[in-house]
Amino acid sequence: MPAHAPLRLYYERLLAAYGAQQWWPAETAFEVLVGAVLTQNTAWTSVERSIANLKAANALSLDALPALPEETLRTFIRPSGFMQRKAATLQALCLWLQQTYQGSLSSAAEQPTPLLRRQLLAIRGIGPETADSILLYALGHPVFVVDEYLRRVLTRHALAEANASYDALQTLAEQAFANDNASTHAAHYNEFHALIVETGKRHCRRRPSCDKCPLQEFLPEA
Ligand code: SF4
């Protein structure tokens, strides 16, 4: 296997090893949106506890969540940490949807990707990874979500510099599917990101366990 196997092979190898990941783990697009904010700097298990709190209070909807007193919202999302900042971001996100798209996620989804991305990035507390998670998993737009797991895999395989920009890593990942029909891009980006996260959790941790990793054969010899 060449030292720099095409990234597309990584995708195929991971899909064969782990199977389809069926992301995003949520019942509604609004739940995806909320989860994308809550998962910043925290483990998904913590997000699940926050989401469960919101569901138990019937507050996981665009009508109910912004109506919560801020203190109550913070209490519900406490398991995810950074509750003050995340509560403010969730409120701002809801306000954006209500004021710009009359509370309709499907109306938002019809807008061009660059416009939506600009609008999302203008909301305090939303960076590129969260914006792209919302674009891809809540709104179905073809943008690849870059996270620390992807950075770690690409760096360890000498496919990117450790300090490569978000945009550079995103372009690298998206190029893996450049020869496919554009209508399949969102589905492929969805799956590949989920598979990379799975790789990071199972094998490519701070101390990597390469011997059992499906990507081991792609490691550069040096
Ligand atoms: S665990 Fe090892 S083989 Fe797997 S992705 Fe990380 S560096 Fe590569």
Side-chain angles (χ1 to χ4, degrees):
M1 186 63 60
H4 293 292
L7 213 46
R8 179 57 183 260
L9 281 185
Y10 285 50
Y11 167 74
E12 285 164 7
R13 192 56 46 88
L14 291 174
L15 188 61
Y18 299 149
Q21 299 297 297
Q22 318 284 349
W23 271 33
W24 181 287
E27 291 173 2
T28 65
F30 185 72
E31 186 177 330
V32 174
L33 207 102
V34 172
V37 172
L38 294 181
T39 198
Q40 294 170 344
N41 307 107
T42 196
W44 185 253
T45 46
S46 307
V47 177
E48 286 175 330
R49 282 160 48 215
S50 298
I51 295 274
N53 289 342
L54 290 166
K55 279 185 179 169
N58 285 322
L60 195 58
S61 72
L62 189 52
D63 292 328
L65 192 143
L68 288 174
E70 193 146 341
E71 196 54 46
T72 309
L73 176 55
R74 286 182 196 166
T75 305
F76 287 154
I77 66 172
R78 183 188 299 274
S80 309
F82 307 98
M83 54 189 180
Q84 201 161 332
R85 176 169 63 73
K86 289 180 181 177
T89 300
L90 286 174
Q91 296 281 14
L93 198 50
C94 291
L95 195 67
W96 164 70
L97 268 175
Q98 287 168 331
Q99 291 187 339
T100 316
Y101 298 109
Q102 293 73 50
S104 167
L105 273 164
S106 41
S107 294
E110 289 167 7
Q111 305 306 311
T113 307
L115 170 71
L116 282 172
R117 198 168 191 269
R118 268 199 312 278
Q119 291 176 344
L120 285 165
L121 288 173
I123 297 171
R124 193 167 180 170
I126 296 194
E129 184 180 342
T130 307
D132 290 340
S133 295
I134 291 170
L135 282 167
L136 179 62
Y137 291 105
L139 303 175
H141 282 239
V143 289
F144 196 89
V145 179
V146 173
D147 67 352
E148 280 311 304
Y149 289 132
L150 179 71
R151 183 179 296 280
R152 197 179 282 168
V153 170
L154 295 182
T155 304
R156 286 175 173 168
H157 286 244
L159 292 168
E161 300 289 336
N163 61 354
S165 70
Y166 183 99
D167 291 353
L169 298 181
Q170 185 176 54
T171 301
L172 198 60
E174 291 184 353
Q175 277 172 350
F177 305 96
N179 293 331
D180 295 337
N181 189 309
S183 66
T184 67
H185 286 171
H188 280 135
Y189 298 166
N190 175 327
E191 195 56 59
F192 195 28
H193 172 66
L195 289 165
I196 289 288
V197 171
E198 195 61 20
T199 309
K201 285 201 247 173
R202 291 197 200 197
H203 304 292
C204 208
R205 298 185 288 263
R206 282 184 205 285
R207 284 169 157 249
S209 54
C210 301
D211 51 331
K212 295 196 178 112
C213 179
L215 300 182
Q216 188 193 20
E217 68 179 293
F218 301 134
L219 267 175
E221 284 172 16

